[in-house]
Amino acid sequence: MNEAEPVKVIRLTGELEIGRKNEIRSTLRAPADGTPVLLDLAGVTYADSIALTELLRFCAEAQQVGQPVALVIQTPQFARLIQYAGLATVFKVFAEPAEALAYLTESPRQ
Amino acid sequence: MNEAEPVKVIRLTGELEIGRKNEIRSTLRAPADGTPVLLDLAGVTYADSIALTELLRFCAEAQQVGQPVALVIQTPQFARLIQYAGLATVFKVFAEPAEALAYLTESPRQ
Amino acid sequence: MSRQPSVLRLRCPAQSRFVASLRHALVSFLRAHDFKGQQLDDVTTAAGEALANVVEHAYTAAASQVDAYIGLRANVDAKGTLALEVYDGGAFVERRPTRGRGFGLRIIRAIAGRLTIDTSNGTRLRMIFERKR
Amino acid sequence: MSRQPSVLRLRCPAQSRFVASLRHALVSFLRAHDFKGQQLDDVTTAAGEALANVVEHAYTAAASQVDAYIGLRANVDAKGTLALEVYDGGAFVERRPTRGRGFGLRIIRAIAGRLTIDTSNGTRLRMIFERKR
Ligand SMILES: Nc1ncnc2c1ncn2[C@@H]1O[C@H](COP(=O)(O)OP(=O)(O)O)[C@@H](O)[C@H]1O
Ligand SMILES: Nc1ncnc2c1ncn2[C@@H]1O[C@H](COP(=O)(O)OP(=O)(O)O)[C@@H](O)[C@H]1O
């Protein structure tokens, strides 16, 4: 990672569920400048479709400003939730932060 | 603490409750030689009267062989349980292991 | 192994802040009945989606004085089969799928071997899970 | 604040391995209703003692085919008052206090503001707790 391309890290932990909808929504705000975003969700212990909807909205907003987003997910429940929802190909999911960072800083993008 | 007077440490953690009765009973065995015992219960998160009954039995057995016993308890629920059961004066309870150790190794006993 | 059925029943106001604790109570109950690993996760996920749907949809058209509740019933029979029901006293909202929504029932369908949705009197989702060992 | 009552009901075989999870389920439910700190601990302690008594005493004289269950019901009303019931289908055992035993009911009495024990049909302990803020 070099100075020219910083990465913004947004971290959410614990249970990402309906009771925390507003908090999740306000945490997931896309920077307007196209900075790549590493969504560190490694400390999430549970997620539901309310969280998925917020993540989808965030990624769509980011895409509009050409901002790449990589998700770090280590919780089996969360990873399977994304499969069950049919969103496996929609999110860029990595098990390790280093892999996500490599994707954000090294891969060529248009 | 010196070589002449070692202290045996017995540790129990988690929930000391009816479902673990047999395990608690077999862990709480008094050494036959009168070695002082530090019962390290600092990591106990919950206790019930089944655990109290086992502790009482252990302390009574220890007393018969002249073996001093000090309990380390830090959990408010556990400390209050002992009060509610009317056993505040029966157990030697300390909040800190160092205090319990000092009691076992330094106080004069008959 | 238990010979008798075990039952957990919960009823709470249909508010989002209760959903997590209903789920936690269900997890405690299921753990005691030897549900674990992926199956425990999956059942919990399905329950969470059904509970969230009640909060989000069941009472949207209801008058404010209505008793807006969520009900959950989990029954584990002698064979270890779980019948899980999530129900409400609201009204099912028929709706066309919208982009970026509509994951809840899709997730539940992906998980539950057998699912029935009864909308004759409020909404009642019933899911059956055979215990995996 | 919830306007409607909330209810948790649990029924499990009267076996010691279920007691912890019944307690955990109760804690989850109570936390959602703003019980915390010493009061949450105390209610949990009282419930744990009542549940343990069912396992230890209720069915000692019963035939082995009997449906030996523990029941728990927690009702939080609109004011936040908790009515907690632990009940069984066994028989109350009258007994003289023995040294080193008999702490369960003593602990429950020290905690519960209002306690009734109904032994007309199995045993039913009912405890009332006003919510402290
Ligand atoms: N308990 C319920 N009460 C009323 N309507 C419901 C209920 N559960 C589901 N629905 C209806 O089914 C639709 C699809 O639900 P779901 O797949 O969970 O997606 P979403 O909640 O994202 O809309 C909801 O939008 C709603 O119209
Ligand atoms: N649910 C119950 N069913 C039958 N007998 C009970 C029940 N609860 C309490 N008892 C009786 O009351 C006595 C006192 O209970 P308790 O104070 O908890 O002490 P302990 O369980 O240590 O005997 C028990 O020994 C038993 O005879």
Side-chain angles (χ1 to χ4, degrees), chain B residues 15 17-21 46-50 52-53 56 76-77 80-81 83-87, chain D residues 16 19-20 23-24 38 41-42 44-45 48-49 52 55-56 100-101 103-104 106-107 110-111:
Chain B
E15 301 196 334
E17 51 87 52
I18 184 169
R20 289 173 62 198
K21 187 173 176 171
Y46 172 86
D48 71 9
S49 70
I50 310 298
L52 287 185
T53 300
L56 269 186
Q77 186 272 340
R80 279 195 296 267
L81 183 84
Q83 305 286 332
Y84 296 149
L87 297 171
Chain D
S16 62
V19 170
R23 214 171 4 88
H24 297 164
Q38 174 170 353
D41 280 355
D42 281 355
T44 308
T45 299
E49 296 302 328
V55 172
E56 294 225 305
R101 293 300 303 267
F103 299 118
R106 182 171 182 168
I107 291 163
I111 290 172

mmCIF file of all heavy atoms in Angstrom, chain B residues 15 17-21 46-50 52-53 56 76-77 80-81 83-87, chain D residues 16 19-20 23-24 38 41-42 44-45 48-49 52 55-56 100-101 103-104 106-107 110-111:
data_model
loop_
_atom_site.group_PDB
_atom_site.id
_atom_site.type_symbol
_atom_site.label_atom_id
_atom_site.label_comp_id
_atom_site.label_asym_id
_atom_site.label_seq_id
_atom_site.Cartn_x
_atom_site.Cartn_y
_atom_site.Cartn_z
ATOM 1 N N GLU B 15 -19.502 -21.997 35.151
ATOM 2 C CA GLU B 15 -20.722 -22.070 35.939
ATOM 3 C C GLU B 15 -20.698 -23.287 36.849
ATOM 4 O O GLU B 15 -20.699 -24.418 36.371
ATOM 5 C CB GLU B 15 -21.942 -22.115 35.010
ATOM 6 C CG GLU B 15 -21.998 -20.889 34.105
ATOM 7 C CD GLU B 15 -23.343 -20.691 33.456
ATOM 8 O OE1 GLU B 15 -24.064 -21.693 33.276
ATOM 9 O OE2 GLU B 15 -23.674 -19.535 33.133
ATOM 10 N N GLU B 17 -22.737 -25.363 38.698
ATOM 11 C CA GLU B 17 -24.169 -25.587 38.856
ATOM 12 C C GLU B 17 -24.520 -27.055 38.710
ATOM 13 O O GLU B 17 -23.665 -27.887 38.387
ATOM 14 C CB GLU B 17 -24.962 -24.703 37.893
ATOM 15 C CG GLU B 17 -24.571 -24.740 36.444
ATOM 16 C CD GLU B 17 -25.264 -25.842 35.689
ATOM 17 O OE1 GLU B 17 -26.505 -25.943 35.746
ATOM 18 O OE2 GLU B 17 -24.543 -26.645 35.039
ATOM 19 N N ILE B 18 -25.753 -27.344 38.941
ATOM 20 C CA ILE B 18 -26.226 -28.720 39.077
ATOM 21 C C ILE B 18 -25.772 -29.650 37.951
ATOM 22 O O ILE B 18 -25.437 -30.800 38.198
ATOM 23 C CB ILE B 18 -27.783 -28.728 39.224
ATOM 24 C CG1 ILE B 18 -28.310 -30.149 39.473
ATOM 25 C CG2 ILE B 18 -28.477 -28.074 38.043
ATOM 26 C CD1 ILE B 18 -29.771 -30.192 39.894
ATOM 27 N N GLY B 19 -25.672 -29.129 36.739
ATOM 28 C CA GLY B 19 -25.260 -29.964 35.608
ATOM 29 C C GLY B 19 -23.825 -30.445 35.716
ATOM 30 O O GLY B 19 -23.426 -31.393 35.034
ATOM 31 N N ARG B 20 -23.009 -29.788 36.582
ATOM 32 C CA ARG B 20 -21.604 -30.163 36.735
ATOM 33 C C ARG B 20 -21.319 -30.761 38.116
ATOM 34 O O ARG B 20 -20.165 -30.805 38.557
ATOM 35 C CB ARG B 20 -20.714 -28.936 36.491
ATOM 36 C CG ARG B 20 -20.691 -28.505 35.025
ATOM 37 C CD ARG B 20 -19.941 -27.196 34.844
ATOM 38 N NE ARG B 20 -18.555 -27.302 35.245
ATOM 39 C CZ ARG B 20 -17.771 -26.256 35.513
ATOM 40 N NH1 ARG B 20 -18.252 -25.039 35.429
ATOM 41 N NH2 ARG B 20 -16.514 -26.433 35.887
ATOM 42 N N LYS B 21 -22.360 -31.222 38.783
ATOM 43 C CA LYS B 21 -22.243 -31.718 40.161
ATOM 44 C C LYS B 21 -21.136 -32.770 40.318
ATOM 45 O O LYS B 21 -20.283 -32.656 41.206
ATOM 46 C CB LYS B 21 -23.594 -32.318 40.564
ATOM 47 C CG LYS B 21 -23.722 -32.742 41.996
ATOM 48 C CD LYS B 21 -25.181 -33.131 42.233
ATOM 49 C CE LYS B 21 -25.429 -33.680 43.617
ATOM 50 N NZ LYS B 21 -26.886 -33.825 43.857
ATOM 51 N N TYR B 46 -20.892 -18.163 37.698
ATOM 52 C CA TYR B 46 -22.208 -18.380 38.320
ATOM 53 C C TYR B 46 -22.072 -19.575 39.249
ATOM 54 O O TYR B 46 -21.352 -20.519 38.934
ATOM 55 C CB TYR B 46 -23.258 -18.680 37.243
ATOM 56 C CG TYR B 46 -24.606 -19.097 37.789
ATOM 57 C CD1 TYR B 46 -25.563 -18.151 38.157
ATOM 58 C CD2 TYR B 46 -24.926 -20.450 37.953
ATOM 59 C CE1 TYR B 46 -26.797 -18.538 38.669
ATOM 60 C CE2 TYR B 46 -26.160 -20.840 38.459
ATOM 61 C CZ TYR B 46 -27.085 -19.883 38.810
ATOM 62 O OH TYR B 46 -28.294 -20.269 39.311
ATOM 63 N N ALA B 47 -22.749 -19.529 40.385
ATOM 64 C CA ALA B 47 -22.749 -20.690 41.281
ATOM 65 C C ALA B 47 -24.134 -20.881 41.867
ATOM 66 O O ALA B 47 -24.897 -19.921 42.006
ATOM 67 C CB ALA B 47 -21.720 -20.502 42.393
ATOM 68 N N ASP B 48 -24.462 -22.137 42.191
ATOM 69 C CA ASP B 48 -25.747 -22.426 42.825
ATOM 70 C C ASP B 48 -25.535 -23.197 44.125
ATOM 71 O O ASP B 48 -24.388 -23.466 44.519
ATOM 72 C CB ASP B 48 -26.688 -23.148 41.848
ATOM 73 C CG ASP B 48 -26.255 -24.584 41.557
ATOM 74 O OD1 ASP B 48 -25.326 -25.101 42.218
ATOM 75 O OD2 ASP B 48 -26.867 -25.194 40.665
ATOM 76 N N SER B 49 -26.632 -23.557 44.779
ATOM 77 C CA SER B 49 -26.514 -24.195 46.090
ATOM 78 C C SER B 49 -25.957 -25.618 46.007
ATOM 79 O O SER B 49 -25.465 -26.150 46.996
ATOM 80 C CB SER B 49 -27.871 -24.201 46.806
ATOM 81 O OG SER B 49 -28.755 -25.091 46.163
ATOM 82 N N ILE B 50 -26.024 -26.226 44.831
ATOM 83 C CA ILE B 50 -25.400 -27.536 44.646
ATOM 84 C C ILE B 50 -23.888 -27.389 44.828
ATOM 85 O O ILE B 50 -23.245 -28.203 45.500
ATOM 86 C CB ILE B 50 -25.708 -28.100 43.229
ATOM 87 C CG1 ILE B 50 -27.215 -28.046 42.899
ATOM 88 C CG2 ILE B 50 -25.123 -29.484 43.050
ATOM 89 C CD1 ILE B 50 -28.119 -28.847 43.772
ATOM 90 N N LEU B 52 -22.472 -24.948 46.510
ATOM 91 C CA LEU B 52 -22.236 -24.606 47.918
ATOM 92 C C LEU B 52 -22.158 -25.862 48.774
ATOM 93 O O LEU B 52 -21.310 -25.968 49.662
ATOM 94 C CB LEU B 52 -23.359 -23.705 48.453
ATOM 95 C CG LEU B 52 -23.386 -22.259 47.974
ATOM 96 C CD1 LEU B 52 -24.484 -21.492 48.702
ATOM 97 C CD2 LEU B 52 -22.022 -21.585 48.179
ATOM 98 N N THR B 53 -23.044 -26.808 48.508
ATOM 99 C CA THR B 53 -23.062 -28.054 49.284
ATOM 100 C C THR B 53 -21.743 -28.809 49.110
ATOM 101 O O THR B 53 -21.192 -29.335 50.081
ATOM 102 C CB THR B 53 -24.264 -28.919 48.843
ATOM 103 O OG1 THR B 53 -25.455 -28.174 49.082
ATOM 104 C CG2 THR B 53 -24.335 -30.216 49.620
ATOM 105 N N LEU B 56 -19.035 -26.920 51.043
ATOM 106 C CA LEU B 56 -19.185 -27.167 52.486
ATOM 107 C C LEU B 56 -18.606 -28.528 52.860
ATOM 108 O O LEU B 56 -17.904 -28.662 53.867
ATOM 109 C CB LEU B 56 -20.664 -27.167 52.859
ATOM 110 C CG LEU B 56 -21.293 -25.862 53.296
ATOM 111 C CD1 LEU B 56 -22.718 -26.134 53.746
ATOM 112 C CD2 LEU B 56 -20.496 -25.186 54.406
ATOM 113 N N PRO B 76 -19.734 -11.130 41.884
ATOM 114 C CA PRO B 76 -20.753 -10.651 42.829
ATOM 115 C C PRO B 76 -21.870 -11.675 43.061
ATOM 116 O O PRO B 76 -22.310 -11.863 44.196
ATOM 117 C CB PRO B 76 -21.293 -9.381 42.154
ATOM 118 C CG PRO B 76 -20.184 -8.909 41.271
ATOM 119 C CD PRO B 76 -19.484 -10.158 40.796
ATOM 120 N N GLN B 77 -22.327 -12.329 41.992
ATOM 121 C CA GLN B 77 -23.413 -13.312 42.162
ATOM 122 C C GLN B 77 -23.016 -14.406 43.148
ATOM 123 O O GLN B 77 -23.812 -14.798 44.000
ATOM 124 C CB GLN B 77 -23.782 -13.915 40.795
ATOM 125 C CG GLN B 77 -24.989 -14.853 40.805
ATOM 126 C CD GLN B 77 -24.620 -16.313 41.101
ATOM 127 O OE1 GLN B 77 -23.482 -16.737 40.947
ATOM 128 N NE2 GLN B 77 -25.614 -17.077 41.555
ATOM 129 N N ARG B 80 -22.782 -13.065 46.766
ATOM 130 C CA ARG B 80 -24.119 -12.859 47.347
ATOM 131 C C ARG B 80 -24.805 -14.185 47.656
ATOM 132 O O ARG B 80 -25.519 -14.302 48.651
ATOM 133 C CB ARG B 80 -24.987 -12.021 46.397
ATOM 134 C CG ARG B 80 -24.703 -10.525 46.498
ATOM 135 C CD ARG B 80 -25.808 -9.710 45.841
ATOM 136 N NE ARG B 80 -25.875 -9.956 44.418
ATOM 137 C CZ ARG B 80 -25.255 -9.232 43.487
ATOM 138 N NH1 ARG B 80 -24.545 -8.170 43.837
ATOM 139 N NH2 ARG B 80 -25.376 -9.530 42.227
ATOM 140 N N LEU B 81 -24.590 -15.176 46.791
ATOM 141 C CA LEU B 81 -25.186 -16.499 47.037
ATOM 142 C C LEU B 81 -24.798 -17.003 48.428
ATOM 143 O O LEU B 81 -25.636 -17.546 49.170
ATOM 144 C CB LEU B 81 -24.703 -17.490 45.968
ATOM 145 C CG LEU B 81 -25.302 -18.893 46.044
ATOM 146 C CD1 LEU B 81 -26.650 -18.921 45.322
ATOM 147 C CD2 LEU B 81 -24.365 -19.941 45.437
ATOM 148 N N GLN B 83 -23.940 -15.187 50.997
ATOM 149 C CA GLN B 83 -24.677 -14.384 51.987
ATOM 150 C C GLN B 83 -26.114 -14.897 52.132
ATOM 151 O O GLN B 83 -26.584 -15.136 53.241
ATOM 152 C CB GLN B 83 -24.756 -12.907 51.549
ATOM 153 C CG GLN B 83 -23.424 -12.231 51.262
ATOM 154 C CD GLN B 83 -22.640 -11.913 52.515
ATOM 155 O OE1 GLN B 83 -23.232 -11.701 53.573
ATOM 156 N NE2 GLN B 83 -21.313 -11.930 52.397
ATOM 157 N N TYR B 84 -26.781 -15.065 51.003
ATOM 158 C CA TYR B 84 -28.191 -15.483 51.026
ATOM 159 C C TYR B 84 -28.353 -16.842 51.713
ATOM 160 O O TYR B 84 -29.369 -17.109 52.361
ATOM 161 C CB TYR B 84 -28.761 -15.575 49.603
ATOM 162 C CG TYR B 84 -28.828 -14.271 48.855
ATOM 163 C CD1 TYR B 84 -28.689 -14.241 47.466
ATOM 164 C CD2 TYR B 84 -29.040 -13.054 49.517
ATOM 165 C CE1 TYR B 84 -28.765 -13.047 46.757
ATOM 166 C CE2 TYR B 84 -29.110 -11.854 48.810
ATOM 167 C CZ TYR B 84 -28.970 -11.860 47.431
ATOM 168 O OH TYR B 84 -29.035 -10.685 46.728
ATOM 169 N N ALA B 85 -27.350 -17.697 51.559
ATOM 170 C CA ALA B 85 -27.426 -19.033 52.161
ATOM 171 C C ALA B 85 -27.074 -19.003 53.643
ATOM 172 O O ALA B 85 -27.154 -20.030 54.319
ATOM 173 C CB ALA B 85 -26.497 -19.983 51.408
ATOM 174 N N GLY B 86 -26.656 -17.827 54.128
ATOM 175 C CA GLY B 86 -26.297 -17.711 55.546
ATOM 176 C C GLY B 86 -24.943 -18.337 55.861
ATOM 177 O O GLY B 86 -24.696 -18.768 56.985
ATOM 178 N N LEU B 87 -24.067 -18.391 54.863
ATOM 179 C CA LEU B 87 -22.778 -19.066 55.042
ATOM 180 C C LEU B 87 -21.602 -18.091 55.091
ATOM 181 O O LEU B 87 -20.446 -18.503 54.959
ATOM 182 C CB LEU B 87 -22.568 -20.081 53.910
ATOM 183 C CG LEU B 87 -23.587 -21.236 53.853
ATOM 184 C CD1 LEU B 87 -23.428 -22.047 52.575
ATOM 185 C CD2 LEU B 87 -23.436 -22.137 55.084
ATOM 186 N N SER D 16 -30.664 -32.628 34.967
ATOM 187 C CA SER D 16 -29.752 -31.568 35.384
ATOM 188 C C SER D 16 -29.080 -30.878 34.204
ATOM 189 O O SER D 16 -28.778 -29.692 34.259
ATOM 190 C CB SER D 16 -28.699 -32.104 36.349
ATOM 191 O OG SER D 16 -27.911 -33.084 35.715
ATOM 192 N N VAL D 19 -30.722 -27.558 32.993
ATOM 193 C CA VAL D 19 -30.934 -26.413 33.884
ATOM 194 C C VAL D 19 -30.159 -25.171 33.429
ATOM 195 O O VAL D 19 -30.707 -24.066 33.382
ATOM 196 C CB VAL D 19 -30.586 -26.784 35.346
ATOM 197 C CG1 VAL D 19 -30.558 -25.547 36.235
ATOM 198 C CG2 VAL D 19 -31.597 -27.798 35.884
ATOM 199 N N ALA D 20 -28.887 -25.344 33.067
ATOM 200 C CA ALA D 20 -28.083 -24.181 32.676
ATOM 201 C C ALA D 20 -28.700 -23.470 31.470
ATOM 202 O O ALA D 20 -28.781 -22.239 31.440
ATOM 203 C CB ALA D 20 -26.644 -24.594 32.376
ATOM 204 N N ARG D 23 -31.726 -21.480 32.301
ATOM 205 C CA ARG D 23 -31.275 -20.251 32.945
ATOM 206 C C ARG D 23 -30.754 -19.245 31.907
ATOM 207 O O ARG D 23 -31.076 -18.065 31.963
ATOM 208 C CB ARG D 23 -30.173 -20.605 33.943
ATOM 209 C CG ARG D 23 -30.160 -19.746 35.155
ATOM 210 C CD ARG D 23 -29.223 -20.202 36.237
ATOM 211 N NE ARG D 23 -28.386 -21.324 36.012
ATOM 212 C CZ ARG D 23 -27.182 -21.291 35.465
ATOM 213 N NH1 ARG D 23 -26.676 -20.151 35.052
ATOM 214 N NH2 ARG D 23 -26.483 -22.391 35.332
ATOM 215 N N HIS D 24 -29.948 -19.723 30.971
ATOM 216 C CA HIS D 24 -29.416 -18.824 29.937
ATOM 217 C C HIS D 24 -30.539 -18.197 29.109
ATOM 218 O O HIS D 24 -30.488 -17.019 28.762
ATOM 219 C CB HIS D 24 -28.458 -19.577 29.012
ATOM 220 C CG HIS D 24 -27.242 -20.100 29.703
ATOM 221 N ND1 HIS D 24 -26.431 -21.057 29.162
ATOM 222 C CD2 HIS D 24 -26.700 -19.797 30.900
ATOM 223 C CE1 HIS D 24 -25.449 -21.335 30.001
ATOM 224 N NE2 HIS D 24 -25.594 -20.578 31.059
ATOM 225 N N GLN D 38 -27.313 -6.363 39.722
ATOM 226 C CA GLN D 38 -27.652 -7.249 40.837
ATOM 227 C C GLN D 38 -29.033 -7.874 40.676
ATOM 228 O O GLN D 38 -29.227 -9.046 40.993
ATOM 229 C CB GLN D 38 -27.577 -6.493 42.173
ATOM 230 C CG GLN D 38 -28.073 -7.369 43.321
ATOM 231 C CD GLN D 38 -27.809 -6.808 44.697
ATOM 232 O OE1 GLN D 38 -27.129 -5.791 44.855
ATOM 233 N NE2 GLN D 38 -28.326 -7.484 45.699
ATOM 234 N N ASP D 41 -28.859 -10.757 38.306
ATOM 235 C CA ASP D 41 -28.185 -11.869 38.997
ATOM 236 C C ASP D 41 -29.118 -12.551 39.989
ATOM 237 O O ASP D 41 -29.184 -13.787 40.055
ATOM 238 C CB ASP D 41 -26.979 -11.351 39.798
ATOM 239 C CG ASP D 41 -25.752 -11.115 38.947
ATOM 240 O OD1 ASP D 41 -25.776 -11.432 37.745
ATOM 241 O OD2 ASP D 41 -24.763 -10.602 39.498
ATOM 242 N N ASP D 42 -29.815 -11.740 40.777
ATOM 243 C CA ASP D 42 -30.657 -12.303 41.837
ATOM 244 C C ASP D 42 -31.798 -13.139 41.261
ATOM 245 O O ASP D 42 -32.072 -14.245 41.731
ATOM 246 C CB ASP D 42 -31.224 -11.182 42.719
ATOM 247 C CG ASP D 42 -30.204 -10.672 43.734
ATOM 248 O OD1 ASP D 42 -29.102 -11.242 43.826
ATOM 249 O OD2 ASP D 42 -30.515 -9.693 44.447
ATOM 250 N N THR D 44 -31.860 -14.593 38.422
ATOM 251 C CA THR D 44 -31.242 -15.776 37.835
ATOM 252 C C THR D 44 -30.896 -16.804 38.911
ATOM 253 O O THR D 44 -31.123 -18.013 38.742
ATOM 254 C CB THR D 44 -29.966 -15.362 37.072
ATOM 255 O OG1 THR D 44 -30.292 -14.304 36.179
ATOM 256 C CG2 THR D 44 -29.380 -16.523 36.303
ATOM 257 N N THR D 45 -30.354 -16.311 40.016
ATOM 258 C CA THR D 45 -30.006 -17.199 41.129
ATOM 259 C C THR D 45 -31.254 -17.907 41.662
ATOM 260 O O THR D 45 -31.261 -19.132 41.851
ATOM 261 C CB THR D 45 -29.353 -16.389 42.265
ATOM 262 O OG1 THR D 45 -28.152 -15.787 41.768
ATOM 263 C CG2 THR D 45 -29.016 -17.274 43.464
ATOM 264 N N GLY D 48 -32.441 -20.461 39.210
ATOM 265 C CA GLY D 48 -31.534 -21.615 39.215
ATOM 266 C C GLY D 48 -31.809 -22.557 40.380
ATOM 267 O O GLY D 48 -31.805 -23.787 40.225
ATOM 268 N N GLU D 49 -32.080 -21.984 41.560
ATOM 269 C CA GLU D 49 -32.374 -22.815 42.736
ATOM 270 C C GLU D 49 -33.691 -23.560 42.560
ATOM 271 O O GLU D 49 -33.797 -24.741 42.894
ATOM 272 C CB GLU D 49 -32.418 -21.958 44.001
ATOM 273 C CG GLU D 49 -31.091 -21.286 44.360
ATOM 274 C CD GLU D 49 -29.957 -22.294 44.564
ATOM 275 O OE1 GLU D 49 -30.217 -23.416 45.022
ATOM 276 O OE2 GLU D 49 -28.797 -21.945 44.218
ATOM 277 N N ALA D 52 -33.190 -26.360 40.034
ATOM 278 C CA ALA D 52 -32.393 -27.456 40.605
ATOM 279 C C ALA D 52 -33.255 -28.298 41.548
ATOM 280 O O ALA D 52 -33.137 -29.531 41.585
ATOM 281 C CB ALA D 52 -31.176 -26.898 41.330
ATOM 282 N N VAL D 55 -35.256 -30.848 39.626
ATOM 283 C CA VAL D 55 -34.429 -31.980 39.200
ATOM 284 C C VAL D 55 -34.105 -32.893 40.382
ATOM 285 O O VAL D 55 -34.136 -34.120 40.274
ATOM 286 C CB VAL D 55 -33.119 -31.472 38.548
ATOM 287 C CG1 VAL D 55 -32.162 -32.626 38.271
ATOM 288 C CG2 VAL D 55 -33.433 -30.711 37.259
ATOM 289 N N GLU D 56 -33.808 -32.290 41.528
ATOM 290 C CA GLU D 56 -33.341 -33.080 42.675
ATOM 291 C C GLU D 56 -34.460 -33.758 43.463
ATOM 292 O O GLU D 56 -34.230 -34.783 44.086
ATOM 293 C CB GLU D 56 -32.547 -32.182 43.620
ATOM 294 C CG GLU D 56 -31.259 -31.681 43.001
ATOM 295 C CD GLU D 56 -30.102 -31.794 43.968
ATOM 296 O OE1 GLU D 56 -30.229 -31.250 45.079
ATOM 297 O OE2 GLU D 56 -29.099 -32.450 43.625
ATOM 298 N N GLY D 100 -26.022 -28.824 56.175
ATOM 299 C CA GLY D 100 -25.308 -28.836 54.897
ATOM 300 C C GLY D 100 -26.232 -28.968 53.695
ATOM 301 O O GLY D 100 -25.775 -29.138 52.578
ATOM 302 N N ARG D 101 -27.534 -28.911 53.923
ATOM 303 C CA ARG D 101 -28.513 -28.895 52.839
ATOM 304 C C ARG D 101 -29.546 -27.809 53.135
ATOM 305 O O ARG D 101 -29.433 -27.084 54.121
ATOM 306 C CB ARG D 101 -29.239 -30.254 52.729
ATOM 307 C CG ARG D 101 -28.365 -31.387 52.289
ATOM 308 C CD ARG D 101 -27.760 -31.150 50.921
ATOM 309 N NE ARG D 101 -28.760 -30.916 49.879
ATOM 310 C CZ ARG D 101 -29.259 -31.863 49.103
ATOM 311 N NH1 ARG D 101 -28.854 -33.097 49.230
ATOM 312 N NH2 ARG D 101 -30.131 -31.560 48.169
ATOM 313 N N PHE D 103 -30.398 -25.143 51.395
ATOM 314 C CA PHE D 103 -30.075 -23.756 51.073
ATOM 315 C C PHE D 103 -30.990 -23.189 49.994
ATOM 316 O O PHE D 103 -31.210 -21.985 49.936
ATOM 317 C CB PHE D 103 -28.626 -23.636 50.607
ATOM 318 C CG PHE D 103 -27.658 -24.068 51.658
ATOM 319 C CD1 PHE D 103 -26.807 -25.133 51.440
ATOM 320 C CD2 PHE D 103 -27.613 -23.412 52.883
ATOM 321 C CE1 PHE D 103 -25.929 -25.537 52.423
ATOM 322 C CE2 PHE D 103 -26.732 -23.822 53.869
ATOM 323 C CZ PHE D 103 -25.884 -24.889 53.635
ATOM 324 N N GLY D 104 -31.486 -24.053 49.131
ATOM 325 C CA GLY D 104 -32.233 -23.588 47.967
ATOM 326 C C GLY D 104 -33.376 -22.652 48.316
ATOM 327 O O GLY D 104 -33.413 -21.497 47.876
ATOM 328 N N ARG D 106 -34.018 -21.253 51.135
ATOM 329 C CA ARG D 106 -33.513 -20.123 51.919
ATOM 330 C C ARG D 106 -33.004 -18.994 50.999
ATOM 331 O O ARG D 106 -33.280 -17.821 51.230
ATOM 332 C CB ARG D 106 -32.385 -20.643 52.814
ATOM 333 C CG ARG D 106 -31.818 -19.579 53.705
ATOM 334 C CD ARG D 106 -30.865 -20.175 54.723
ATOM 335 N NE ARG D 106 -30.394 -19.102 55.595
ATOM 336 C CZ ARG D 106 -29.737 -19.305 56.703
ATOM 337 N NH1 ARG D 106 -29.462 -20.531 57.110
ATOM 338 N NH2 ARG D 106 -29.332 -18.280 57.439
ATOM 339 N N ILE D 107 -32.265 -19.399 49.991
ATOM 340 C CA ILE D 107 -31.735 -18.415 49.021
ATOM 341 C C ILE D 107 -32.892 -17.742 48.274
ATOM 342 O O ILE D 107 -32.920 -16.515 48.133
ATOM 343 C CB ILE D 107 -30.766 -19.114 48.031
ATOM 344 C CG1 ILE D 107 -29.485 -19.549 48.762
ATOM 345 C CG2 ILE D 107 -30.442 -18.211 46.843
ATOM 346 C CD1 ILE D 107 -28.645 -20.579 48.008
ATOM 347 N N ALA D 110 -34.554 -15.246 50.411
ATOM 348 C CA ALA D 110 -33.741 -14.040 50.623
ATOM 349 C C ALA D 110 -33.859 -13.078 49.431
ATOM 350 O O ALA D 110 -33.671 -11.876 49.571
ATOM 351 C CB ALA D 110 -32.281 -14.423 50.848
ATOM 352 N N ILE D 111 -34.175 -13.639 48.268
ATOM 353 C CA ILE D 111 -34.189 -12.836 47.037
ATOM 354 C C ILE D 111 -35.579 -12.330 46.674
ATOM 355 O O ILE D 111 -35.755 -11.143 46.376
ATOM 356 C CB ILE D 111 -33.620 -13.675 45.862
ATOM 357 C CG1 ILE D 111 -32.111 -13.891 46.057
ATOM 358 C CG2 ILE D 111 -33.896 -12.979 44.524
ATOM 359 C CD1 ILE D 111 -31.491 -14.855 45.065
#
